[in-house]
Amino acid sequence: MQSFDVQVSGAGIVGKSLSLSLAGLGLSVALRSAAAGAPAAADVRAYALSPASVGLLQQLKVWDALAADARTAVHDMVVHGDAGDALLEFSAWEQRVAELAVITDAAALEHELDHALGFAARVTRVDADVDAALVAHCEGRAAATLATLGETTFERSDYGQRAVAARLVATLPHRHTARQWFRSPDVLALLPFDRPERERSYALVWSLPSERADALVAMDASSFEHELAAATGGDAGTLAVASERASWPLVVAGASAWAGPGWVLVGDAAHVVHPLAGQGLNLGLADVAALTAVIAAREPWRGIGDERLLRRYGRQRAAPTWAMRQMTDGLLRLFATPSAPIRELRNNGMNLVNRVSPLKRWLTARALDS
Ligand SMILES: Cc1cc2nc3c(=O)[nH]c(=O)nc-3n(C[C@H](O)[C@H](O)[C@H](O)COP(=O)(O)OP(=O)(O)OC[C@H]3O[C@@H](n4cnc5c(N)ncnc54)[C@H](O)[C@@H]3O)c2cc1C
């Protein structure tokens, strides 16, 4: 059997990025895909990527290959509460950065990663386990192999919600503004995008109780557009559906240990957060950067499967991931509470944060760093 330095299990965005990144250190990588099933439908999601994630994809020579209309900068963000005129506004200008995030087409990003992998001589695609000093588990939230590791437990809780995603075209230009509505118990986000129509498209992520999500996916397009109009109050203009609608179950999850002798967990295989802050993939790409840096800086006598080495990676990533999980989970629970006093408190809180610039800057900086 051919022997490799690393086996990366799972060829999602995190697994592909890790393969390219470790190959860049001169390591031989076997990228193991799941058994071929029915061809998957095109992913209608668009991801809000942080500047840190964009930096990593630039290093991997993937970012600049993306078509201009597959990456749209976000300059402003408006968050609406669920009472009166509660509002929280963030701007790149206020934060002294070029953009708050870049909205990226999920399918286009996967395509460019595949293209780059085609030129990566040190990466071999495999469909079965190989002999390797290190196995990096990147199988996402469904990571079936986790049970067989036996050295970590996966704490997982189901929100009883699904996120509905679709592409929309609006009658008003998006002006590079992301919009989000916290409408107990729903959270609706419109991410400005340039596909299918430049300056007028949005990627929708609408999290809501599973039964209602299923109904929204099943209903005809004009009824869905009617629901959208009611939920967004026409702030983005009239919205028309421009793609299939798809939905994902929402869970919060985390592994008790991220690394052991000869194995690590990376991306959604280690942690799953609610998409309300658009941070799941950003956390996964930060894992890729951290693991690459830890391996690159290892002592010459330490092998790459060395447990003490790999635990350095786990220690680095556990705290920021835990913080993001608490933040998204806390926000969701705060806005899911129907009680009137809590409702008043949270909406007043939003307005307060909006007026206190240092706090707002601190919050934005945390999101930009991840
Ligand atoms: C609606 C929605 C919107 C989101 N928006 C954002 C956003 O704006 N910004 C952001 O940062 N994040 C966002 N996220 C989160 C983001 O989608 C995930 O964090 C990210 O896709 C995780 O990537 P991954 O590669 O770790 O896992 P996955 O994408 O799940 O990939 C795992 C891969 O492993 C394969 N696999 C599974 N089992 C095996 C096996 N046994 N052997 C080999 N391969 C296997 C799977 O087939 C898959 O290809 C969103 C999530 C949802 C649901």
Side-chain angles (χ1 to χ4, degrees):
M1 191 196 268
Q2 194 186 346
S3 170
F4 292 83
D5 293 318
V6 189
Q7 173 178 315
V8 173
S9 280
I13 293 176
V14 168
K16 288 173 183 167
S17 303
L18 182 65
S19 300
L20 287 171
S21 191
L22 294 182
L25 296 181
L27 300 172
S28 59
V29 179
L31 173 56
R32 185 188 165 173
S33 306
D43 197 331
V44 293
R45 284 176 296 180
Y47 292 129
L49 293 187
S50 66
S53 296
V54 170
L56 175 76
L57 293 167
Q58 268 166 341
Q59 269 177 38
L60 301 180
K61 308 210 177 338
V62 166
W63 186 255
D64 294 325
L66 279 169
D69 66 350
R71 44 189 167 118
T72 304
V74 177
H75 296 153
D76 294 285
M77 177 159 184
V78 181
V79 184
H80 300 263
D82 61 348
D85 53 3
L87 204 67
L88 194 48
E89 289 169 303
F90 299 96
S91 84
W93 172 81
E94 211 174 27
Q95 199 65 23
R96 309 279 189 269
V97 292
E99 61 237 345
L100 293 175
V102 185
I103 310 303
T104 313
D105 186 278
L109 180 55
E110 292 252 11
H111 176 80
E112 289 308 336
L113 282 163
D114 284 332
H115 189 69
L117 283 164
F119 289 92
R122 291 195 186 89
V123 182
T124 308
R125 297 250 195 187
V126 297
D127 56 11
D129 285 339
V130 297
D131 182 34
L134 170 64
V135 179
H137 292 278
C138 304
E139 297 103 339
R141 58 168 79 185
T145 49
L146 290 177
T148 66
L149 276 173
E151 292 168 68
T152 185
T153 50
F154 217 58
E155 183 199 321
R156 184 183 163 110
S157 122
D158 197 321
Y159 283 118
Q161 291 197 341
R162 295 184 74 86
V164 176
R167 296 295 166 83
L168 311 172
V169 172
T171 48
L172 298 177
H174 59 56
R175 299 193 194 288
H176 296 268
T177 302
R179 300 168 185 279
Q180 193 165 33
W181 287 261
F182 282 87
R183 308 172 63 249
S184 172
D186 306 9
V187 183
L188 188 156
L190 291 182
L191 308 175
F193 204 56
D194 289 330
R195 275 185 184 174
E197 275 190 42
R198 192 170 279 274
E199 301 286 335
R200 288 185 189 278
S201 306
Y202 285 99
L204 168 77
V205 184
W206 194 353
S207 311
L208 62 187
S210 300
E211 261 182 39
R212 182 147 155 71
D214 291 344
L216 283 171
V217 171
M219 69 180 51
D220 62 70
S222 71
S223 310
F224 183 67
E225 286 162 2
H226 184 76
E227 296 284 343
L228 273 175
T232 59
D235 283 10
T238 305
L239 297 163
V241 191
S243 73
E244 295 295 314
R245 282 158 270 163
S247 76
W248 283 260
L250 297 181
V251 300
V252 56
S256 61
W258 289 45
W263 64 268
V264 281
L265 303 180
V266 189
D268 272 21
H271 46 72
V272 186
V273 295
H274 193 285
L276 70 88
Q279 290 295 343
L281 181 57
N282 288 314
L283 289 172
L285 293 176
D287 297 346
V288 169
L291 181 58
T292 306
V294 162
I295 290 178
R298 73 188 185 281
E299 298 85 345
W301 44 267
R302 238 184 240 287
I304 55 168
D306 183 300
E307 182 176 3
R308 289 183 73 170
L309 173 78
L310 301 173
R311 288 203 187 279
R312 287 180 198 159
Y313 153 74
R315 278 197 298 276
Q316 264 187 39
R317 295 301 301 145
T321 305
W322 183 86
M324 186 58 72
R325 193 170 134 191
Q326 296 305 312
M327 200 270 279
T328 49
D329 195 48
L331 263 178
L332 190 79
R333 290 186 197 286
L334 178 68
F335 275 90
T337 310
S339 137
I342 297 210
R343 187 169 169 213
E344 196 178 326
L345 207 67
R346 68 191 174 218
N347 286 291
N348 288 341
M350 276 180 85
N351 285 333
L352 182 69
V353 173
N354 203 35
R355 285 195 296 269
V356 182
S357 321
L359 179 56
K360 220 161 79 164
R361 272 204 292 276
W362 183 84
L363 278 173
T364 320
R366 299 289 74 72
L368 290 171
D369 283 352
S370 66

